[in-house]
Amino acid sequence: MSKRSLAVVAVAAAAVLMAPATATATATAAAPAHQLKLRNGLTLYLPMKWRIHGGGTDWIHVVTGKCAHPEGGFFTTDCKGFWILGPKAIKLGAEGFGPYNVDRGGYYPASDVQRCPVDGKLLRVEKIGPHKKGLRQVGPGHKAAYHEFQTRCRTHSGKITSTRFTTREWYLPKTKILVVDTWKTPGLATALRNADWN
């Protein structure tokens, strides 16, 4: 067999071997999704395994993993997921129940120290490290104010621990929608980028 014939056979064999991987990738991209319709025509496409809790458009909790109390409030611990908040929740979104401050970030509807979301035996204590800010795409033609920062947790006696978590926030000021994620939920940023507006 000539070198040219061997090359053609090798290319054909590679194409056959690659076909299943391509089919799998396409099937994954077209996996079934929840359509979560929100304010002002925003639709998010979320994986079917994510569970949606809450009513209306002001307090929606999307649970993405292990969670003993999915119907719990905003500061429920050890519950993987994120929140989609509307105008009523945003009005109470700063520490002390003032309105959420888009320039500062850090949604915190409380006036006292709350438990650490990743370890309910600990308390949240302080933001640490750099605070990333900018704009992020949420569907075509819409940009959200974006904040990302880390918070360290401590014991009830005040001892600082190595436990920390990252908060990400996307705020759409025109539509009054705020997404708050304290679990760095894989796939969330992509779901927001791929959203639709009707």
Side-chain angles (χ1 to χ4, degrees):
M1 193 178 273
S2 71
K3 286 182 181 179
R4 182 173 182 193
S5 297
L6 284 172
V8 169
V9 168
V11 169
V16 168
L17 290 173
M18 291 299 290
T22 304
T24 302
T26 304
T28 301
H34 290 288
Q35 287 188 23
L36 179 57
K37 295 188 180 294
L38 300 166
R39 308 174 52 72
N40 297 336
L42 175 60
T43 301
L44 298 180
Y45 301 95
L46 307 176
M48 292 299 282
K49 64 183 180 180
W50 291 3
R51 300 176 314 271
I52 300 164
H53 298 272
T57 59
D58 285 293
W59 293 93
I60 298 171
H61 189 196
V62 180
V63 176
T64 61
K66 181 183 166 199
C67 181
H69 304 286
E71 299 291 346
F74 181 79
F75 291 109
T76 297
T77 62
D78 304 315
C79 184
K80 290 190 174 183
F82 60 92
W83 287 84
I84 302 170
L85 307 165
K88 289 179 185 173
I90 292 167
K91 265 186 198 174
L92 305 171
E95 189 169 358
F97 301 105
Y100 174 76
N101 184 327
V102 66
D103 295 323
R104 190 180 66 188
Y107 185 79
Y108 199 88
S111 58
D112 56 354
V113 178
Q114 295 293 315
R115 292 185 297 160
C116 181
V118 298
D119 184 340
K121 296 175 185 170
L122 301 175
L123 300 172
R124 301 169 179 240
V125 72
E126 62 180 326
K127 295 177 186 175
I128 57 172
H131 185 124
K132 296 179 188 173
K133 292 172 74 171
L135 297 174
R136 296 290 189 273
Q137 193 74 35
V138 177
H142 293 262
K143 299 268 187 184
Y146 179 77
H147 291 268
E148 181 178 321
F149 55 90
Q150 280 197 346
T151 301
R152 188 172 14 211
C153 299
R154 65 169 169 83
T155 66
H156 286 264
S157 64
K159 181 180 176 186
I160 297 297
T161 70
S162 60
T163 303
R164 49 186 73 184
F165 62 94
T166 299
T167 298
R168 300 183 300 170
E169 298 175 342
W170 292 260
Y171 179 60
L172 293 151
K174 289 183 183 175
T175 53
K176 299 285 191 274
I177 295 172
L178 174 63
V179 178
V180 181
D181 176 29
T182 57
W183 291 91
K184 281 193 103 171
T185 303
L188 175 56
T190 302
L192 291 168
R193 267 196 316 273
N194 294 332
D196 281 334
W197 293 88
N198 300 319

